[in-house]
Structures are given as C-alpha cells and as structure tokens.
Amino acid sequence: MEKRNVQRCSGTTRRRRWWGLRRRWRMLGLFEINQEHEFYSFTCLMKEGLHAALQTTIDTPGPDELSAEHYKSEQTQVHKDYEMQTFAGLVFSSLRYSLDINEEEYKRSLSSDCCYLQFTSNSKSKADFFLTNDKRFFLKTQNKQEVKFLLSNLMAYMDHLEKYPHSLLVRFLGLHSIQVPNETKVIIMKYTFKHSYKKKKKLFNSFLNLSQKYFIVMQSVFYPDERIDTRYDIKGCEVGRWTDPASTGSPVKILKDNNFEGKHIILDQKSSWLVDQVEIDTAFLRSLNVLDYSILLAHQPLHKDELDGKHSFSNLIVRTEKSMAQDSPTEEDHPTIPLLGGDSFRLASDTIDSGPDHVQDTGEHSGHSIHCQEINLPSVNSTDAELHEFHAHHRRLLPNFKNSVHVIDGPELRYFVGIVDIFTVYGLKKRLENLWKSLRFPGRAFSTVSPATYSQRFCRWVKDHTK
C-alpha cells in the first residue's frame, strides 16, 4: 500500500511538472503539436523522413573535400505514403560537423518521439515555424523561390562561413522537401472528420497544400532559452517597427526597433567585434542583393558562477580551443592555440571577455592570478602567422556553450545574437514597393530600400546601440 501511494504521488508530481512546462510554452507562443493539432500528420512525416535521411548520411562517409556536384545533389527516399527529398546533404553535414553537432544527437533531436512545438509570433511571415521538443533546432517552411535562392548561393554562403567561422548569420543545417501523392492526401484527410467544421476546413486546406512542402532546419539563435524573457527583431528602421507589449493576441512578444529605443547592447571591450562582424556579414548579404533581414536579439542575466567561471584558467583553455576549432572541421590534429602563446604576440582586447584583465588559477598552478597576456603553454607551437590568421578570420573567444556562435557575454548580461531572414531579393516587386513607400512615408525610414542603403542603416543602428 505504501509503495502504491509513493508511485501515485510520483505520477502526480510528473503530471504537474508536465502541465507547468506546457503552460510556460503557451506563454512563450509555443504549442505542442499533438494528435489534435492541424500539423500533427505533417510533422510526423517530417520526423520519419528526417530519421531515414540522416541515417543515410551517418552510414555514408563524407568526402575529404566538397565538389560542385555535392552542392547540386538531390537525394530522394521513397516511403510508404510520401517521398522525402534532401538537398545538398553532404554540404549541410559538413557544416554541422564544423559546429560540433553530433549527427546521432542531431537525428535524435529531429526524430524524437516527443512532439514538435509550433512557434507563433507577431511576425508577418506566412511561413510555418516549428521547434524540436528540446528547442535546439528550428524548422521553417519555405517556398520554392526561397529554396532556389539558397541553393544557388549555398557555395558563397559556405565560403563566407569558412572565412568568418564566428559569423552572426544563422546556420542552415539541412534543406528538405516532402511530397505527398494525391491518393495519400485523401487517406490523411479522413482524419479531419473527427473535428468541428471550422477545424475540419483548416485541416483540409493544410493538406490540400501538402503536395510538396519545402522546409529548412536551422540552429536556434535563442538556445537555451530558459532564462530569456524578452526578444527583439531589429531591422534598423522605424515604420511599422513597434509592438505593444500589453496588447492581446499572440502570447509571445517579439519586440521591435522602436521598443529598443533608450536601451543598449553593453559589451564593453567586445562591442567593436560585434559592430565589425555585422558590417562583414551585411557586406556579404549586400553582394547577394538581399534586404529585409533582421538581427534577432535577446539577453539574460549572468549568474555569479557564470561570471566567475568564464575567467578561470581551465575555462579559458577550453574556450580558446573551441574558438580555434570552429574553422577547421576536417583537421584531424588538435588545433593549436595562438592566443595562449609566448612573448611574440599579445591577446587583443576586443577578442576576450570583458571584466577583470586576469584569470584565476583553478588550483593546478600556484594560486596567483595569471595575466591573460602572460599565459604560456610549452606544448603549444604558436606563431605570429597563427595570430594573424585568427584576426584575419575575425574570430573571438567563444563561450563554452553549445550555441556559442550566437552567444556573446557582456559584463553582466549574456546576449543571444543572430542575423536571420536572408531570402528577400531586391527585384522588381521590391523596387515598386520602395517607390510606393517613398510616396506614402516621405522622409521616414522604412524597410524596403536598396540593399546598399539597407546594410548601411542596419550597421549604423547596431553601432549606435552598442556600448
């Protein structure tokens, strides 16, 4: 009897925790895609197809070097009720490897038995947004034109990330499509008869458009997000860039440019790195003739143990190795650490964490403070050329974090930063929109401007709001 009571209490506790988690998800604009959800069938196909596609990648050894054919490759896997296409699979696999994302772990996250989460926000995008249950990876539906644009510029995108491995551009980790035959859609739509007329019509329309659905997998900028309570979507303009935090509607509030007025990104010594990297990334986007991209921004307070730990000797070693390994995914040898060399060079102030200019010994040494510029590892063969390479690739000292390329620690806050939505080309439609908005909003800053003007204004906003 006593054992049964303990089990009953344990089960009740688990249900309460699960209910609390689901309630918190709803407050963040996240909804579990369970069997009652309109996208349940679609996400089940996604998970099954991704599991098979990634297993094929795991079983197939990657090439030593990527060729032009790898960028053009399309792999189709036929399943019972649908077909799954994977585009440039080995290219995205190599990118995941460079980010230290284990393929088995990646597969488990995307094909977990746990339900995906639907993300709803006040965004004007018509795309559907999903998160893996662990919220580490973001999935977004794309139209055919966006897919063609990404594939045609994928080599340039990879070259940019190789040259600047700590770029703030969002990391695309996979590109796929699901094609459902018409006879299968009829079978799937029988599911709609369980629901009310309104939901039945919504489900019918979603399946009607399911003949071929493209989607992309991205690294979530806001991971982990347990302590994030405010998020911003910044474009560097003013027209339509305000969200009322108190308004009803979407549970999650993605605040915008005008909501950020009077606030700053406080990074101290690393502020110049952020400003320079945004200029580098937007120059690349300008070369692609795109506009209307955003910088996603969020922050959370650093706990005392995080503030103390990031200046420890051992932590500095780990972070330096991590920073050097980001751009050398195919090297078998352990990366050298030019930042921790002898007297031939010094650590640049804008690549280290702000705060005290020394790190504390962890007990392996004498116990005295060690100045960053005096750290010397006898086993590391460092050269001036390596330090020059470090700065040529505009690297920084990354935090010891899974999502390190999108995380920058300031003196008191941890910032999550990433540039997203890079598919809008400045074509005829956008040129006409620019003309119309020029007449409607004379003298005001709106989003639809030429790529050169957009990038300059974007960089100016970051520079003006970073300290």
Side-chain angles (χ1 to χ4, degrees):
M1 179 66 72
E2 184 178 346
K3 184 177 180 181
R4 188 178 301 172
N5 289 336
V6 170
Q7 289 176 341
R8 187 182 296 116
C9 291
S10 178
T12 303
T13 302
R14 283 197 299 270
R15 285 194 295 273
R16 285 177 180 173
R17 286 177 180 172
W18 177 241
W19 174 253
L21 182 61
R22 294 180 67 181
R23 183 178 180 182
R24 185 173 183 273
W25 282 348
R26 286 196 295 272
M27 292 301 294
L28 292 171
L30 298 174
F31 297 89
E32 186 183 35
I33 303 177
N34 56 27
Q35 293 185 8
E36 300 298 314
H37 198 283
E38 60 181 297
F39 288 119
Y40 179 73
S41 295
F42 177 48
T43 55
C44 285
L45 299 184
M46 291 171 75
K47 288 196 288 185
E48 182 184 14
L50 285 168
H51 184 277
L54 291 170
Q55 189 60 53
T56 301
T57 302
I58 292 169
D59 295 339
T60 306
D64 293 332
E65 287 187 22
L66 294 172
S67 67
E69 294 304 313
H70 292 126
Y71 286 88
K72 299 175 184 177
S73 71
E74 296 181 14
Q75 183 181 26
T76 302
Q77 292 181 311
V78 180
H79 298 266
K80 181 182 177 182
D81 298 321
Y82 64 97
E83 293 180 359
M84 166 75 87
Q85 269 190 310
T86 299
F87 302 91
L90 290 175
V91 176
F92 289 110
S93 176
S94 70
L95 178 55
R96 295 194 295 270
Y97 182 73
S98 72
L99 295 169
D100 199 26
I101 297 175
N102 179 275
E103 289 292 276
E104 287 286 354
E105 189 178 329
Y106 181 67
K107 184 185 73 172
R108 282 197 300 271
S109 181
L110 289 173
S111 59
S112 165
D113 291 336
C114 298
C115 296
Y116 279 175
L117 307 174
Q118 183 188 18
F119 175 76
T120 59
S121 73
N122 48 351
S123 170
K124 294 180 181 179
S125 173
K126 294 181 180 180
D128 298 311
F129 301 88
F130 309 110
L131 274 169
T132 54
N133 199 268
D134 59 9
K135 295 189 280 185
R136 187 177 177 186
F137 302 111
F138 211 78
L139 299 94
K140 179 183 178 183
T141 58
Q142 306 283 149
N143 60 45
K144 193 171 184 177
Q145 185 178 358
E146 291 170 334
V147 170
K148 285 183 176 180
F149 175 80
L150 176 58
L151 290 175
S152 63
N153 293 286
L154 184 57
M155 189 176 292
Y157 171 78
M158 292 291 289
D159 288 344
H160 180 77
L161 295 185
E162 183 178 1
K163 186 174 182 181
Y164 302 105
H166 299 171
S167 165
L168 295 171
L169 294 181
V170 65
R171 299 309 196 264
F172 299 119
L173 305 178
L175 179 59
H176 309 269
S177 76
I178 286 180
Q179 188 162 3
V180 180
N182 288 330
E183 57 270 21
T184 302
K185 283 194 287 183
V186 172
I187 296 172
I188 295 176
M189 284 190 293
K190 290 180 180 179
Y191 169 75
T192 64
F193 295 136
K194 301 178 184 178
H195 301 282
S196 64
Y197 173 77
K198 185 177 179 180
K199 190 158 188 176
K200 199 183 295 183
K201 184 178 179 181
K202 193 173 183 181
L203 287 163
F204 179 85
N205 290 333
S206 69
F207 289 130
L208 198 63
N209 296 324
L210 196 57
S211 48
Q212 186 162 22
K213 203 85 166 178
Y214 297 93
F215 65 94
I216 196 163
V217 184
M218 299 173 281
Q219 190 171 13
S220 175
V221 174
F222 300 142
Y223 176 82
D225 70 342
E226 283 78 10
R227 286 152 48 198
I228 297 175
D229 56 6
T230 306
R231 298 163 171 82
Y232 293 90
D233 179 303
I234 303 296
K235 292 183 182 291
C237 56
E238 60 165 313
V239 175
R241 303 304 297 167
W242 166 263
T243 297
D244 184 0
S247 64
T248 57
S250 173
V252 67
K253 295 302 174 187
I254 306 294
L255 304 181
K256 300 181 181 179
D257 304 56
N258 294 332
N259 298 97
F260 199 81
E261 285 307 309
K263 302 180 178 67
H264 290 87
I265 305 167
I266 301 175
L267 297 175
D268 286 357
Q269 293 171 330
K270 285 179 287 189
S271 60
S272 61
W273 182 91
L274 175 65
V275 172
D276 291 344
Q277 189 59 53
V278 169
E279 289 179 354
I280 291 169
D281 289 334
T282 55
F284 168 70
L285 297 176
R286 186 170 66 244
S287 72
L288 300 183
N289 197 36
V290 300
L291 69 156
D292 217 24
Y293 42 87
S294 303
I295 189 164
L296 291 183
L297 176 66
H299 60 73
Q300 66 186 33
L302 285 168
H303 289 168
K304 187 179 184 301
D305 59 331
E306 293 170 328
L307 289 168
D308 296 340
K310 69 177 183 175
H311 298 300
S312 71
F313 183 86
S314 59
N315 186 268
L316 182 61
I317 300 295
V318 171
R319 293 172 57 201
T320 305
E321 291 179 345
K322 185 182 185 74
S323 302
M324 292 304 299
Q326 282 286 322
D327 67 335
S328 54
T330 59
E331 292 182 5
E332 294 181 3
D333 296 333
H334 201 271
T336 58
I337 312 177
L339 285 182
L340 303 183
D343 297 330
S344 60
F345 41 77
R346 292 292 180 261
L347 191 61
S349 62
D350 61 350
T351 61
I352 64 171
D353 277 324
S354 55
D357 62 357
H358 64 275
V359 293
Q360 296 296 324
D361 197 326
T362 58
E364 302 165 299
H365 301 279
S366 62
H368 298 292
S369 297
I370 303 176
H371 198 284
C372 286
Q373 295 178 349
E374 296 174 354
I375 296 174
N376 184 29
L377 298 181
S379 61
V380 176
N381 297 318
S382 303
T383 66
D384 288 333
E386 288 173 325
L387 183 64
H388 175 74
E389 182 187 1
F390 186 92
H391 291 295
H393 291 285
H394 202 247
R395 288 180 289 217
R396 62 186 172 95
L397 199 57
L398 295 175
N400 187 16
F401 215 65
K402 277 190 175 182
N403 192 27
S404 57
V405 292
H406 291 303
V407 175
I408 309 175
D409 284 351
E412 297 179 358
L413 296 176
R414 169 166 288 160
Y415 293 91
F416 296 79
V417 186
I419 297 175
V420 299
D421 298 335
I422 63 173
F423 297 109
T424 305
V425 178
Y426 193 57
L428 178 60
K429 182 179 178 181
K430 287 297 176 181
R431 291 174 189 273
L432 293 175
E433 186 178 335
N434 170 262
L435 179 61
W436 176 73
K437 287 187 175 180
S438 298
L439 298 174
R440 185 179 180 187
F441 306 110
R444 297 184 65 189
F446 48 85
S447 63
T448 313
V449 293
S450 70
T453 302
Y454 193 94
S455 65
Q456 290 169 6
R457 188 176 63 191
F458 193 87
C459 292
R460 187 168 60 247
W461 188 96
V462 173
K463 185 175 182 179
D464 292 344
H465 292 81
T466 304
K467 288 184 176 181

